[in-house]
Amino acid sequence: MDDANSNKEKLVVEVVAAHNLMPKDGEGSSSPFVEVEFENQRLRTQVKYKDLNPVWNQKLVFHVKDVADLPYRTIQINVFNEKRSSNSRNFLGKVMVSGASIAKEGEEVAQLYTLDKRSLFSHIRGEISLKFYLSTKETVKEMTDTPLSGPSSSKKNKKLQQQGPPMVVHQQQQAVTQNNHNKTHHHPTQQHVKPGETNDIKPVVITAGHGPAIPVPGGGGVPVGIGGFRNVFSSGSSEFSLKETSPHLGGGVLHRDKTSSTYDLVEQMQYLYVRILKCRDVSAASGSEIMAEVKLGNYRGITKRVSANAPEWDQVFAFSKDCIQSSMAEIAVKEKDKDEFLGRVWFDLSEVPSRVPPDSQLAPQWHRMEDKKGDKSKAGEIMVSVWFGTQADEAFAEAWHSKAANVHFDGLSSIKSKVYLSPKLWYFRVSIIEAQDIVPGEKGAGMVRFPELSVKAQVGNQVFRTRTAQASQSRSLSNPYWNEDLMFVVAEPFEDYLLVSVEDRVAPGRDEVVGRILLPVSQIEQRTDDKPVGSRWFNIDNHFGNAGEPKIVSRFGSRIHLRVSLEGGYHVLDETTMYSSDVRPTAKQLWKPHIGVLEMGILGATGLIPIKLKEGKGGGSTDSYCVAKYGHKWVRTRTVVDSLSPKWNEQYTWEVFDPCTVITIGVFDNSRVDKTTTNAGGGSRDSRIGKVRIRLSTLESDRVYTHSYPLLMLHTTGVKKMGELHLAVRFSCANMGNMLTIYSLPLLPKMHYVHPLAVNQLDNLRYQAMNVVAGRMSRAEPPLGREVVEYMLDHDSHIWSMRRSKANFFRLMSVLSSFVAMGRFIESIRNWNKPVYSTIVTVIFLMLVSFPELIIPLVLLYMAFVGIWRYRSRPRHPPHMDTRLSHAETVYSDELDEEFDSFPTSRSAEVVRMRYDRLRSVAGRIQTVVGDMASQGERVQALLSWRDPRATFLFVSFCLFAAVGFYFVPTKAVVALLGLYVLRPPKFRSKLPSKALSFFRRLPTKADSFL
């Protein structure tokens, strides 16, 4: 029997290699394996870990029941990514091959197949090379090119051959997996090398587009992925989900319920602090400069250079306890540009004391130094203090950190943690009413043409213009009238001026200034309510100090009528209303007491993507810092240099005035750290890594939330996971009654409702406010870049995006789904699919008709019961960025390219034409829906318009008879009869539309009059 099976032809599928696979392991790579299925037999290859271009050269052998039926059979090849952490797999592509293409042994040729999608929304790419042939030499035991070791393995294979193919698959899958684990430790990952290419990885700039792979430091040359970012196209993965963490906050583990405690919201980080104040009696040359040097293992810190006559430094050095590689700390004093020290002193770290705030600072002491010969009598003394402390120490913020040793001098200021206060913004209203005795431009031709007078107002970089004054019979040509309001955004302290100029358009594209005034904003009246502000006449300067002007012009008294005021009753929106972190009015006298305190511990980040390359370093690096914005207070953590898993452990506090606000936390890469750094963004712009928003109203009071938030970024190649941000958040409320009262108050101040601003005007003012804030932040030290402010304030949220449109449409459909479900339920009751339910609903309907006073109480009780029932399944975690809700996983590449396109567009005419045609098709569908809705409304109007005299006659007659009938018949009886008529069983209903619906559809519409 065995000989017969051995001589029988078998199908051999040789899996050669794959190329350019989609990375789906969340780290920019994949661990692929191939699974082949043929006639209920399923075999798989080895797993090639962390390889997007795997090479197998592995044969899989299948039994063939009938070779004559082979042309009518199909071979299915699936490529998967093995997820070792969750013991699952991701789909990488498939190929379906007909049995008619199978060759004979010796005639087989490797063929390249393009991987196909499994569904419409699968994100697949790459090719696979395969060979198919029939052979009588191959046996099932040779289906892997890695034989099992030992005699016991061969015995198992013989038993498995007798048991049949299904058992062979299972056992050899385990064998292959076990063998694979052993192989991966000894053999490097194989790569596909095309002719003319090399395996050397050259330094490249990491961008969001397609590019060479960048190796992760310490990753054994494993490629990061497209452009150094993590590609996230996996469906159903927990990669983008929120994860709860259990950090050691304040040095201890939080309780399980994570209620408020006395611990801080950060993990303690131990540092060795060395404070060097001054030295004396140093034998240095007169007039030379000396410096102090601190050495601790491989770390070295150098003070500034001072004169040897009065050497004082007063500098603090901080060395992380985790990085200490020595048991002794050396402090030496050296002359400028000399390697030999003048004196030094040693400190044993085991004898260094510890300090915990609020203890006072350790008093520095004089220590006698020794020279090169070990003599302490001539080297002088140095005043230092050495202690162990945490990041809560007062010296931490201004200390020189050991991890910043490679930061150049100009970049030292940009790595320290800072707190910024955004400027206090005001709306500046300028009402241009009228002008008198204006002398038009081009005086010689002033009598033969009508002057086109307009007013231009300018505050800083903000410029607005009124419309051209219209002619009026009651006013002369020199007395124009406008009566327009112009709104500006100004910031305290008021340093700007209001420049109002009257201009006359003397020719197309040419405006001549005929008069102007200059007013300081600091002298403008401020108002906090809707009381009217008095208007004033201002004299116009129409001479401009030009000596060539006629004297009659300078003596002419032109003036303009203005009403100007600083509006303190509004809240100046510098961010979108949906993500607003502050809704208080500008005027401080209108503020109410705060209702709570928000505390946030910014712990750190893990798994960050390398953003840039540094010279002399093989892999990429990231110099990350975090920015949090809530209200007027912006905080910036220190920059952790050259780390993909930075730890900040900094805690900040904000006063909360409204719980329905949002705090925004963004992570960025510092581009000012190293002069030799090549940044992906170009120039000195800090690169975005990701952003997290937390709405305070979703947090329970006095509970500590510790989670890791996925940092997601949308690029032209798709959504990328840039890492995870670890936060600890606590929202404390002193008086619950005050906070609950806030929910009944308007969201925005009173002036937004008394004198509302138009939507377009609010968008324009928001853009102006963002420019003002960005300008002020750039003047701080260290400056907060404009790119950071724009990203934190969502400056591009108003730009058209097909992806956002789809997401908003499906959000609307989700809201309407409950009404659709209710309609389906009513329809099922009407169809009597479940007679018991239909009978119960009919009885309840008749009861409510008989006792209508029960309708509202029952509805309210039902809603209360549903709310109480859902309390058990309430969300236990704060919300986070949802890729499925944002339609970021299923978006097409062309839609992303359109979303990231500049305005106006920079794409070619063909691309713009294609997008315009697509937009026309979408707009055509919307146009049809709007037209149908308008037709229904016009049919309602046609009931009484006598457009169709017969239809209106029938409707009026029905109304007269129905009025008489309703007068004599009780309303309850009419409603009951109507309800029973609607709920009647299907056997008593006709499939044709009702007479009333047929009558309504016959009514005329205005669509007949369309061109």
Side-chain angles (χ1 to χ4, degrees):
M1 186 71 181
D2 294 339
D3 294 338
N5 287 334
S6 61
N7 294 329
K8 190 176 181 180
E9 286 186 317
K10 297 176 178 61
L11 171 64
V12 180
V13 179
E14 184 174 350
V15 183
V16 182
H19 173 64
N20 195 26
L21 296 179
M22 178 69 73
K24 287 197 176 182
D25 63 350
E27 298 179 359
S29 186
S30 289
S31 300
F33 67 92
V34 179
E35 188 176 86
V36 183
E37 185 175 356
F38 174 72
E39 289 186 343
N40 297 325
Q41 306 172 61
R42 186 178 300 169
L43 301 179
R44 56 177 286 182
T45 65
Q46 299 176 357
V47 180
K48 297 295 183 180
Y49 292 97
K50 303 291 185 180
D51 197 348
L52 296 178
N53 301 289
V55 178
W56 287 284
N57 288 322
Q58 186 172 344
K59 298 177 182 179
L60 304 179
V61 184
F62 297 88
H63 291 286
V64 181
K65 296 179 181 180
D66 189 355
V67 179
D69 293 338
L70 194 57
Y72 309 102
R73 298 290 183 261
T74 302
I75 307 169
Q76 181 172 348
I77 298 95
N78 295 313
V79 186
F80 296 99
N81 165 57
E82 185 183 68
K83 299 174 65 176
R84 301 177 63 182
S85 59
S86 59
N87 197 19
S88 60
R89 58 188 185 179
N90 299 118
F91 181 71
L92 294 179
K94 70 174 183 178
V95 174
M96 302 290 289
V97 179
S98 174
S101 60
I102 298 175
K104 295 182 180 181
E105 188 174 11
E107 300 177 0
E108 69 275 7
V109 178
Q111 299 183 15
L112 192 65
Y113 298 88
T114 302
L115 295 175
D116 296 329
K117 297 182 178 181
R118 181 165 55 184
S119 63
L120 180 62
F121 300 107
S122 298
H123 291 271
I124 301 302
R125 76 177 188 201
E127 300 85 21
I128 186 170
S129 181
L130 302 168
K131 291 182 181 180
F132 301 92
Y133 60 94
L134 293 173
S135 174
T136 57
K137 300 177 182 179
E138 301 290 345
T139 59
V140 175
K141 67 179 181 181
E142 296 179 3
M143 62 183 154
T144 61
D145 62 349
T146 307
L148 299 175
S149 60
S152 60
S153 300
S154 59
K155 292 180 181 179
K156 289 183 180 180
N157 281 337
K158 290 181 181 179
K159 292 181 180 179
L160 290 172
Q161 290 178 20
Q162 297 174 0
Q163 293 175 357
M167 289 296 296
V168 173
V169 176
H170 178 71
Q171 184 68 20
Q172 292 208 356
Q173 281 180 354
Q174 295 180 354
V176 169
T177 304
Q178 181 181 0
N179 233 321
N180 224 3
H181 286 300
N182 297 332
K183 263 186 107 173
T184 51
H185 294 289
H186 303 286
H187 300 283
T189 305
Q190 300 181 24
Q191 298 285 341
H192 240 350
V193 182
K194 296 182 179 180
E197 294 182 353
T198 63
N199 281 332
D200 297 333
I201 299 178
K202 299 180 179 180
V204 294
V205 177
I206 300 175
T207 62
H210 295 276
I214 303 300
V216 178
V222 178
V224 175
I226 299 177
F229 294 108
R230 295 183 179 181
N231 292 325
V232 265
F233 289 111
S234 57
S235 57
S237 173
S238 61
E239 189 177 5
F240 313 129
S241 61
L242 195 69
K243 301 175 184 176
E244 191 169 8
T245 58
S246 300
H248 294 262
L249 300 185
V253 182
L254 284 177
H255 299 287
R256 188 172 183 180
D257 57 356
K258 294 188 178 179
T259 55
S260 177
S261 63
T262 57
Y263 294 124
D264 289 336
L265 298 182
V266 293
E267 296 178 319
Q268 287 189 1
M269 301 176 65
Q270 297 292 330
Y271 287 89
L272 173 66
Y273 291 96
V274 180
R275 184 179 183 184
I276 304 178
L277 276 80
K278 54 187 176 181
C279 67
R280 62 187 180 186
D281 302 334
V282 177
S283 57
S286 178
S288 62
E289 292 182 341
I290 62 174
M291 60 186 180
E293 180 184 81
V294 182
K295 294 181 66 176
L296 187 64
N298 295 330
Y299 293 103
R300 185 181 68 165
I302 302 176
T303 64
K304 58 187 177 182
R305 299 168 181 172
V306 296
S307 174
N309 299 328
E312 291 188 7
W313 297 286
D314 195 11
Q315 289 184 241
V316 181
F317 298 86
F319 299 89
S320 177
K321 195 173 182 180
D322 298 335
C323 302
I324 294 179
Q325 302 173 352
S326 174
S327 60
M328 302 291 290
E330 177 188 354
I331 303 176
V333 177
K334 298 181 178 181
E335 282 191 84
K336 175 184 176 182
D337 300 331
K338 290 185 179 181
D339 295 333
E340 296 182 355
F341 59 88
L342 303 175
R344 66 180 178 181
V345 62
W346 297 84
F347 290 91
D348 189 352
L349 298 186
S350 61
E351 303 295 332
V352 172
S354 298
R355 173 180 177 259
V356 180
D359 292 349
S360 300
Q361 293 187 2
L362 191 66
Q365 297 180 3
W366 287 102
H367 295 267
R368 186 170 296 278
M369 297 185 293
E370 62 180 25
D371 56 12
K372 293 180 292 184
K373 300 179 180 180
D375 187 4
K376 295 186 178 182
S377 60
K378 302 179 181 179
E381 294 180 322
I382 186 170
M383 179 178 283
V384 297
S385 59
V386 184
W387 72 95
F388 280 109
T390 65
Q391 73 269 31
D393 202 293
E394 295 88 346
F396 178 79
E398 298 299 329
W400 177 93
H401 291 266
S402 57
K403 293 185 178 180
N406 296 326
V407 180
H408 64 93
F409 181 77
D410 296 335
L412 283 176
S413 62
S414 67
I415 67 173
K416 296 181 179 179
S417 57
K418 295 292 180 182
V419 175
Y420 304 84
L421 293 178
S422 61
K424 193 176 181 181
L425 302 178
W426 291 72
Y427 282 149
F428 180 28
R429 188 190 299 270
V430 179
S431 300
I432 312 293
I433 303 175
E434 59 180 335
Q436 285 186 354
D437 301 329
I438 298 298
V439 179
E442 292 188 354
K443 285 78 184 174
M447 301 301 295
V448 297
R449 71 174 186 88
F450 177 77
E452 300 180 12
L453 298 174
S454 62
V455 177
K456 183 178 74 173
Q458 180 176 358
V459 177
N461 295 327
Q462 308 171 48
V463 180
F464 290 99
R465 187 186 299 271
T466 66
R467 69 181 190 281
T468 303
Q470 302 297 322
S472 176
Q473 297 181 353
S474 59
R475 307 181 69 90
S476 63
L477 299 179
S478 61
N479 297 332
Y481 182 79
W482 298 281
N483 195 24
E484 288 189 33
D485 283 352
L486 306 178
M487 294 287 286
F488 300 88
V489 176
V490 293
E492 291 185 357
F494 302 121
E495 302 172 349
D496 297 319
Y497 285 84
L498 170 64
L499 176 62
V500 180
S501 57
V502 182
E503 299 182 351
D504 183 15
R505 176 157 296 181
V506 296
R510 178 189 169 195
D511 296 328
E512 180 179 336
V513 179
V514 297
R516 65 184 179 186
I517 60 171
L518 191 65
L519 301 176
V521 179
S522 57
Q523 298 180 7
I524 302 301
E525 178 183 355
Q526 301 178 5
R527 71 167 183 172
T528 59
D529 49 23
D530 57 340
K531 294 181 180 179
V533 178
S535 58
R536 291 179 53 191
W537 286 94
F538 296 90
N539 293 325
I540 294 178
D541 180 14
N542 51 13
H543 186 250
F544 312 125
N546 190 350
E549 286 285 339
K551 294 183 178 180
I552 186 173
V553 177
S554 61
R555 293 196 304 265
F556 205 81
S558 302
R559 58 180 187 167
I560 189 171
H561 194 192
L562 303 176
R563 183 186 297 111
V564 291
S565 62
L566 288 168
E567 303 288 343
Y570 291 93
H571 168 70
V572 179
L573 292 167
D574 57 349
E575 49 195 348
T576 58
T577 311
M578 295 182 295
Y579 315 133
S580 182
S581 62
D582 187 16
V583 291
R584 292 174 295 170
T586 301
K588 196 170 184 178
Q589 56 267 33
L590 300 179
W591 292 3
K592 296 181 180 179
H594 68 277
I595 61 170
V597 174
L598 173 65
E599 300 169 273
M600 173 172 289
I602 304 176
L603 305 180
T606 56
L608 295 183
I609 294 299
I611 301 297
K612 53 195 174 187
L613 292 175
K614 292 187 178 180
E615 293 182 1
K617 188 172 181 179
S621 67
T622 300
D623 306 318
S624 56
Y625 66 92
C626 195
V627 175
K629 194 265 182 187
Y630 184 78
H632 294 290
K633 183 177 178 180
W634 298 60
V635 299
R636 171 177 177 162
T637 66
R638 71 186 188 281
T639 299
V640 179
V641 179
D642 194 12
S643 176
L644 300 181
S645 297
K647 290 185 177 181
W648 295 292
N649 284 305
E650 299 183 19
Q651 183 171 344
Y652 298 95
T653 304
W654 290 269
E655 291 183 342
V656 178
F657 294 86
D658 195 312
C660 302
T661 47
V662 177
I663 182 172
T664 305
I665 308 99
V667 183
F668 302 87
D669 176 77
N670 196 335
S671 63
R672 301 170 179 85
V673 170
D674 194 350
K675 288 183 178 180
T676 62
T677 296
T678 303
N679 197 313
S684 60
R685 293 173 61 89
D686 293 349
S687 301
R688 307 169 180 177
I689 297 180
K691 180 168 55 178
V692 173
R693 299 191 195 98
I694 302 177
R695 184 171 292 275
L696 271 59
S697 59
T698 61
L699 305 178
E700 298 179 9
S701 299
D702 301 323
R703 176 186 170 187
V704 178
Y705 291 84
T706 55
H707 294 87
S708 65
Y709 296 80
L711 296 173
L712 305 177
M713 283 290 293
L714 193 65
H715 298 276
T716 53
T717 55
V719 62
K720 312 289 189 299
K721 182 178 179 182
M722 311 292 290
E724 293 183 354
L725 178 63
H726 297 257
L727 300 175
V729 184
R730 178 171 60 214
F731 175 42
S732 304
C733 176
N735 191 329
M736 184 61 68
N738 291 341
M739 186 172 66
L740 296 179
T741 305
I742 295 293
Y743 282 85
S744 63
L745 300 179
L747 181 64
L748 295 174
K750 175 183 176 181
M751 286 294 290
H752 285 271
Y753 306 98
V754 177
H755 293 291
L757 302 174
V759 176
N760 294 336
Q761 194 174 20
L762 281 175
D763 289 340
N764 190 19
L765 291 173
R766 176 173 167 259
Y767 179 74
Q768 297 177 26
M770 186 203 65
N771 287 333
V772 173
V773 173
R776 288 295 179 92
M777 292 296 184
S778 63
R779 294 165 58 182
E781 182 60 34
L784 205 60
R786 182 181 181 88
E787 67 278 4
V788 176
V789 176
E790 289 180 350
Y791 184 57
M792 296 292 290
L793 296 181
D794 287 294
H795 76 292
D796 57 352
S797 60
H798 64 283
I799 298 178
W800 157 257
S801 167
M802 181 67 76
R803 176 189 60 85
R804 287 198 188 103
S805 301
K806 289 181 180 178
N808 290 330
F809 173 76
F810 283 104
R811 285 174 58 198
L812 179 61
M813 295 302 297
S814 177
V815 172
L816 299 177
S817 62
S818 57
F819 299 98
V820 175
M822 186 180 300
R824 291 176 179 174
F825 173 75
I826 295 175
E827 188 65 25
S828 66
I829 294 298
R830 291 184 65 243
N831 293 332
W832 289 76
N833 296 330
K834 297 181 179 180
V836 177
Y837 289 175
S838 299
T839 304
I840 293 174
V841 170
T842 304
V843 173
I844 294 176
F845 171 74
L846 294 176
M847 183 187 67
L848 293 178
V849 170
S850 303
F851 304 97
E853 62 274 6
L854 297 178
I855 296 177
I856 295 179
L858 285 177
V859 171
L860 296 177
L861 282 175
Y862 171 76
M863 296 176 67
F865 175 77
V866 171
I868 295 173
W869 179 260
R870 291 183 178 179
Y871 178 78
R872 299 171 53 191
S873 59
R874 68 190 184 278
R876 304 299 177 98
H877 310 295
H880 64 286
M881 302 293 184
D882 192 341
T883 55
R884 189 179 301 275
L885 179 67
S886 306
H887 276 248
E889 294 177 317
T890 59
V891 65
Y892 295 102
S893 58
D894 181 68
E895 296 176 358
L896 285 175
D897 183 72
E898 181 182 16
E899 184 171 345
F900 285 92
D901 190 9
S902 60
F903 188 86
T905 181
S906 58
R907 299 297 183 264
S908 62
E910 291 77 10
V911 175
V912 175
R913 185 182 298 109
M914 182 271 294
R915 292 173 180 171
Y916 175 67
D917 292 339
R918 181 179 61 193
L919 189 61
R920 287 177 63 190
S921 65
V922 175
R925 300 173 189 172
I926 299 176
Q927 171 184 287
T928 304
V929 174
V930 173
D932 293 341
M933 295 173 62
S935 297
Q936 306 305 323
E938 291 169 354
R939 286 193 175 102
V940 175
Q941 295 177 347
L943 289 172
L944 298 173
S945 65
W946 294 93
R947 180 72 179 177
D948 185 345
R950 287 170 292 276
T952 304
F953 171 77
L954 290 174
F955 180 72
V956 170
S957 303
F958 170 77
C959 290
L960 291 176
F961 285 106
V964 175
F966 274 100
Y967 180 79
F968 291 103
V969 180
T971 305
K972 293 182 180 180
V974 174
V975 175
L977 291 174
L978 184 60
L980 292 175
Y981 177 78
V982 172
L983 294 175
R984 69 192 187 278
K987 64 174 60 177
F988 299 107
R989 292 203 301 262
S990 173
K991 294 184 179 181
L992 298 178
S994 64
K995 298 183 182 300
L997 184 59
S998 300
F999 173 78
F1000 182 76
R1001 288 176 176 174
R1002 291 177 177 273
L1003 293 173
T1005 66
K1006 295 182 180 179
D1008 306 334
S1009 303
F1010 261 23
L1011 290 176

